[in-house]
Amino acid sequence: MKKDIEIPVIEDVYVAAVREKHEEYQTLDWNAYLINDRAEAIEGVLIVTKGYDGKRETSTMRHSISKLPPQSFAKVEFLQDDVLQLNNEFSVSFFAESKMFHKKFVFKKNSINEKALQEIPVMQKKGVLLK
């Protein structure tokens, strides 16, 4: 039965880690964003995040976005420096085109760093991108 369920491939939806200045605390922080580079909105977005390695695991966090317009982005969560040493998984599900889409995006441990910066679509900023 599970094999009969069709889950379409996600295209033009990304997760990015972007280093930004926190105005209140005057610190440079990493923040995770969901990016919709599609021509249509995505709806009912559910994002489940966790960090892990062989010995440690963070709490599981759940986020929702009711609607993310086309060519836009939304901040998902702040990434503490301690969790950058872990694999950071973002499990993303949403509805579009009358279908449900799902994909797991994983930042491998220590992959979120200044050396891995690249141009992020839609945001016009530099960050670490997962497609």
Side-chain angles (χ1 to χ4, degrees), residues 14 29 59 69 95 104 123:
Y14 316 115
D29 300 330
S59 298
F95 290 97
K104 285 186 182 179
M123 294 185 74

Side-chain angles (χ1 to χ4, degrees), residues 87-123:
N87 296 312
N88 286 277
E89 180 179 289
F90 291 76
S91 182
V92 177
S93 301
F94 62 87
F95 290 97
E97 306 166 25
S98 300
K99 299 176 191 170
M100 182 176 184
F101 291 77
H102 176 79
K103 183 174 182 178
K104 285 186 182 179
F105 297 89
V106 180
F107 289 103
K108 297 292 183 188
K109 62 182 178 177
N110 300 313
S111 66
I112 300 174
N113 61 61
E114 297 289 332
K115 294 177 185 171
L117 296 179
Q118 59 181 296
E119 194 66 33
I120 304 297
V122 180
M123 294 185 74

Side-chain angles (χ1 to χ4, degrees), residues 59-107:
S59 298
T60 299
M61 305 289 285
R62 291 168 181 82
H63 310 276
S64 67
I65 302 167
S66 58
K67 186 174 186 177
L68 190 58
Q71 302 296 307
S72 67
F73 56 91
K75 185 176 176 181
V76 176
E77 68 183 25
F78 162 69
L79 299 169
Q80 293 180 315
D81 288 338
D82 293 347
V83 302
L84 301 180
Q85 301 167 16
L86 305 172
N87 296 312
N88 286 277
E89 180 179 289
F90 291 76
S91 182
V92 177
S93 301
F94 62 87
F95 290 97
E97 306 166 25
S98 300
K99 299 176 191 170
M100 182 176 184
F101 291 77
H102 176 79
K103 183 174 182 178
K104 285 186 182 179
F105 297 89
V106 180
F107 289 103

Side-chain angles (χ1 to χ4, degrees), residues 11-44:
E11 293 180 355
D12 301 325
V13 174
Y14 316 115
V15 174
V18 178
R19 188 123 193 198
E20 300 171 304
K21 185 174 185 177
H22 190 288
E23 292 301 322
E24 184 178 347
Y25 299 112
Q26 298 297 308
T27 57
L28 282 176
D29 300 330
W30 287 100
N31 294 299
Y33 284 87
L34 181 66
I35 301 165
N36 179 12
D37 197 14
R38 298 167 59 103
E40 65 278 333
I42 59 177
E43 298 180 357

